[in-house]
Amino acid sequence: MRMTLIVAEAGSTHGGDRAKMSALIQAAAGTAANVCKFQFCSSPERLAERRQAAEYLEAYRAIAFPAAWLGDLKAECDEAGIELMATVYLPEDLPIIAPHVRRFKVASFEAVDVPFILAHRAYGHQTIISTGGLDEAELRRLLELRDAMVGRWDLRLLHCVSAYPTRPWELNLATIGRYKLNGLSDHTLHLWTGALAVAAGAGIVEKHVRLPDTPLDNPDYPHSISPVGLAEYIANIRFAESVLGDGLKKIQPCEEPWVRFQAHV
């Protein structure tokens, strides 16, 4: 039975509060997620400039935290039995994050910036790219890059819809199988979406999580679920894995008492 990598995305829900970051790590670990992911940006002002998105400066400030916290966050994750991961938005932040993680995440808004993506390669980490807001030609360029790097660099591509939240009928999960994508970055609020993605072929599922006291005006609140919801979401994924099995046709032990009744000509 395959095991889906489940990423609990903390996003901006901590609001720069160190205690809330610790609580998010503990909450993610308690749901049996494999990874707790934060977003790191050393300069919200530079990110707003890079994206030409001055109107989102306050949202970028909500994800920012001091680089000095990274070592302690990594230690807390290790103690809780969950992997630390981070999205990086600025090229200069890659060497800051790299010593603390085994995987990088590239957000959809940077997915068309090939030089930025290639800058991740120097660190040898698996790099996971969301593909929200891309057209087919842009997606195929990433697929070609991923396939060209097989054996040299581990690139993974996640299906994603850049809407916050995404309505279930907008998700188009068939994209995963059609383009042989590696997983889903899920912005819906439905607790079965991850399981359906696994049935469609996803090996990675990323889902936003928030603490119960997250303010309603937090930028990530609309597309995040509570730890209780995430635990159910993950249980649904594990159920999907169990019913999918290994895909090999064979006589199941439960069938053996009935096999002798088969009419062989």
Side-chain angles (χ1 to χ4, degrees):
M1 185 177 74
R2 69 183 183 187
M3 290 293 290
T4 306
L5 182 77
I6 300 173
V7 179
E9 164 65 274
S12 67
T13 61
H14 55 81
D17 184 316
R18 180 67 181 81
K20 287 187 176 182
M21 296 179 82
S22 293
L24 283 160
I25 290 170
Q26 295 302 319
T31 67
N34 305 108
V35 176
C36 182
K37 185 172 81 65
F38 293 96
Q39 301 173 18
F40 182 78
C41 176
S42 62
S43 172
E45 293 76 17
R46 174 149 149 63
L47 178 56
E49 179 183 4
R50 174 177 162 81
R51 286 183 170 177
Q52 299 182 356
E55 64 272 30
Y56 287 100
L57 178 57
E58 288 307 312
Y60 299 153
R61 285 174 174 159
I63 66 173
F65 59 89
W69 292 359
L70 285 165
D72 289 340
L73 292 172
K74 172 68 162 58
E76 287 182 26
C77 284
D78 289 346
E79 185 174 353
I82 194 167
E83 179 185 333
L84 176 67
M85 185 175 165
T87 301
V88 181
Y89 303 103
L90 303 174
E92 60 266 32
D93 289 345
L94 288 169
I96 297 173
I97 289 293
H100 305 285
V101 300
R102 296 188 306 165
R103 310 173 212 263
F104 286 124
K105 176 71 190 300
V106 177
S108 293
F109 299 102
E110 280 68 53
V112 293
D113 187 344
V114 174
F116 175 66
I117 291 170
L118 291 175
H120 291 68
R121 187 184 177 192
Y123 302 93
H125 295 344
Q126 182 184 87
T127 301
I128 301 171
I129 306 172
S130 280
T131 60
L134 273 60
D135 62 24
E136 186 174 42
E138 291 166 332
L139 176 60
R140 288 197 180 280
R141 281 195 288 272
L142 287 178
L143 289 167
E144 290 170 3
L145 177 62
R146 180 194 66 180
D147 296 345
M149 290 295 170
V150 171
R152 294 185 286 166
W153 181 29
D154 188 359
L155 276 181
R156 307 291 176 101
L157 303 180
L158 302 186
H159 176 54
C160 177
V161 176
S162 295
Y164 310 94
T166 302
R167 294 174 296 185
W169 56 90
E170 298 171 323
L171 198 51
N172 196 19
L173 284 179
T175 304
I176 294 172
R178 180 179 180 87
Y179 297 99
K180 295 182 172 57
L181 300 177
N182 303 102
L184 171 70
S185 178
D186 182 14
H187 298 132
T188 72
L189 295 175
H190 201 290
L191 299 183
W192 276 97
T193 307
L196 291 170
V198 170
I204 303 169
V205 175
E206 176 184 79
K207 186 74 197 85
H208 286 253
V209 64
R210 57 171 171 78
L211 298 172
D213 62 350
T214 302
L216 295 177
D217 62 354
N218 181 277
D220 282 342
Y221 187 98
H223 51 280
S224 300
I225 59 177
S226 70
V228 171
L230 183 60
E232 182 176 346
Y233 185 94
I234 292 172
N236 292 341
I237 287 175
R238 299 308 181 205
F239 174 79
E241 292 168 338
S242 71
V243 300
L244 282 169
D246 60 15
L248 298 175
K249 181 58 179 172
K250 54 185 176 290
I251 296 172
Q252 298 288 350
C254 60
E255 296 178 295
E256 290 173 359
W258 309 101
V259 170
R260 66 189 180 92
F261 299 116
Q262 291 176 340
H264 293 283
V265 178

